[in-house]
Amino acid sequence: HTKLLQLLTTKPE
Amino acid sequence: VHHSAMSPEEFISRIMEAEPPEIYLMEDLKKPFTEASMMMSLTNLADKELVLMISWAKKIPGFVELSLTDQIHLLKCCWLEILMLGLMWRSVDHPGKLIFSPDFKLNREEGQCVEGIMEIFDMLLAATSRFRELKLQREEYVCLKAMILLNSNLCTSAPQTAEELESRNKLLRLLDSVIDALVWAISKMGLSTQQQTLRLGHLTMLLSHIRHVSNKGMDHLSTMKRKNVVLVYDLLLEMLDANT
């Protein structure tokens, strides 16, 4: 997984 | 509330809330800069800002409803334009200076230490002057930034599948909402109808300059990386590689 994809798919806190 | 049902006022207040917090470089800047130290400070800051940019994009009403492929493409296309518009906004009240962050401010002349960067600094300063002349308002600024994001990929990909077509239609409706929001922001300034139309034209025309400076900046950064002046890593590397 790329970092961009990771950041896009993580739920906001 | 879905963005299509929001008033322009609500839409703007949502994108104002999405604005990323002020970011600091938090490095001891040793002056005078060397080519390597300035490039390192610039790229370190960009990498930090990129992480916040992703969270910002996700808070724009409707963005996360686009296909993940579109979300990725849009961000990869426009990230440097978004960084540059943010830089212009921070610098708008400081003629001749580029306010990269509250603890990292550069004069035009300081660009001399990095080969090829002064030309880019001058273009950034020139666009910033235009925004100063136009007395850019915060509401207009946040709309322009959302426009850059949503418009960045519109003419480079034709939808193939039903899913891509659906996402593209959502994207077009979202752009409608942002344009409506910008028109509303301009309408609040007490200008004549003709002056409002002219202002909309002038503001949106500036976006083509920002795209141009971003392309120049992208070339410059990839050259600096190729020549090993600076080590580009992590998210910034991923975003740069998408453009080269």
Side-chain angles (χ1 to χ4, degrees):
Chain A
H1 281 245
T2 66
K3 178 127 188 221
L4 174 58
L5 188 60
Q6 207 181 344
L7 289 166
L8 278 172
T9 50
T10 47
K11 292 265 175 284
E13 327 68 59
Chain B
V1 186
H2 191 258
H3 71 83
S4 57
M6 278 181 204
S7 67
E9 190 171 6
E10 277 178 282
F11 192 86
I12 288 198
S13 78
R14 289 283 296 275
I15 52 177
M16 295 275 260
E17 286 163 22
E19 271 298 282
E22 201 171 45
I23 190 160
Y24 286 77
L25 178 63
M26 300 210 281
E27 278 175 11
D28 287 323
L29 298 175
K30 289 194 189 70
K31 293 200 181 186
F33 288 100
T34 62
E35 185 169 59
S37 73
M38 185 180 287
M39 282 310 296
M40 196 173 74
S41 295
L42 288 170
T43 51
N44 282 347
L45 185 66
D47 193 61
K48 288 187 193 189
E49 282 195 85
L50 279 172
V51 176
L52 294 179
M53 190 191 296
I54 314 305
S55 320
W56 159 78
K58 288 164 79 177
K59 289 182 201 149
I60 293 175
F63 183 78
V64 293
E65 290 161 39
L66 304 173
S67 71
L68 203 49
T69 316
D70 272 350
Q71 293 178 37
I72 291 169
H73 277 153
L74 290 171
L75 282 161
K76 282 184 171 176
C77 275
C78 75
W79 65 272
L80 190 50
E81 289 178 80
I82 301 279
L83 290 184
M84 286 176 165
L85 179 57
L87 170 66
M88 291 171 196
W89 174 250
R90 291 190 294 275
S91 310
V92 81
D93 294 326
H94 307 267
K97 284 195 172 189
L98 292 171
I99 313 295
F100 287 93
S101 71
D103 58 349
F104 185 30
K105 307 174 184 182
L106 295 179
N107 294 316
R108 172 187 182 273
E109 290 71 28
E110 287 176 286
Q112 269 167 344
C113 66
V114 177
E115 194 185 352
I117 217 169
M118 192 109 128
E119 186 198 359
I120 296 168
F121 278 12
D122 281 340
M123 287 192 277
L124 289 165
L125 288 165
T128 307
S129 301
R130 272 299 287 146
F131 280 128
R132 186 178 311 119
E133 286 161 14
L134 288 162
K135 295 190 169 65
L136 180 70
Q137 307 293 301
R138 188 171 191 91
E139 284 87 351
E140 295 169 324
Y141 159 67
V142 296
C143 289
L144 289 175
K145 216 160 57 156
M147 279 170 90
I148 288 178
L149 172 69
L150 300 168
N151 183 50
S152 63
N153 198 27
L154 216 54
C155 297
T156 53
S157 66
Q160 305 286 333
T161 65
E163 197 220 347
E164 283 168 16
L165 193 65
E166 195 197 336
S167 183
R168 189 187 174 84
N169 285 332
K170 283 181 184 167
L171 180 59
L172 289 170
R173 297 295 74 74
L174 192 47
L175 262 172
D176 289 344
S177 294
V178 183
I179 297 167
D180 279 340
L182 179 57
V183 168
W184 178 83
I186 293 172
S187 75
K188 282 200 319 172
M189 297 178 67
L191 302 168
S192 70
T193 314
Q194 195 214 6
Q195 286 299 323
Q196 290 180 35
T197 309
L198 292 174
R199 186 169 181 84
L200 179 66
H202 283 295
L203 288 175
T204 49
M205 279 191 288
L206 265 164
L207 297 184
S208 73
H209 292 279
I210 296 175
R211 173 73 66 109
H212 181 70
V213 193
S214 161
N215 289 340
K216 289 271 182 195
M218 204 75 79
D219 286 346
H220 183 266
L221 181 56
S222 64
T223 305
M224 290 286 124
K225 177 185 167 251
R226 191 165 37 78
K227 290 184 172 172
N228 290 316
V229 174
V230 69
L231 182 68
V232 181
Y233 55 90
D234 218 21
L235 186 55
L236 182 60
L237 177 64
E238 197 181 324
M239 303 302 259
L240 179 66
D241 279 349
N243 287 273
T244 47

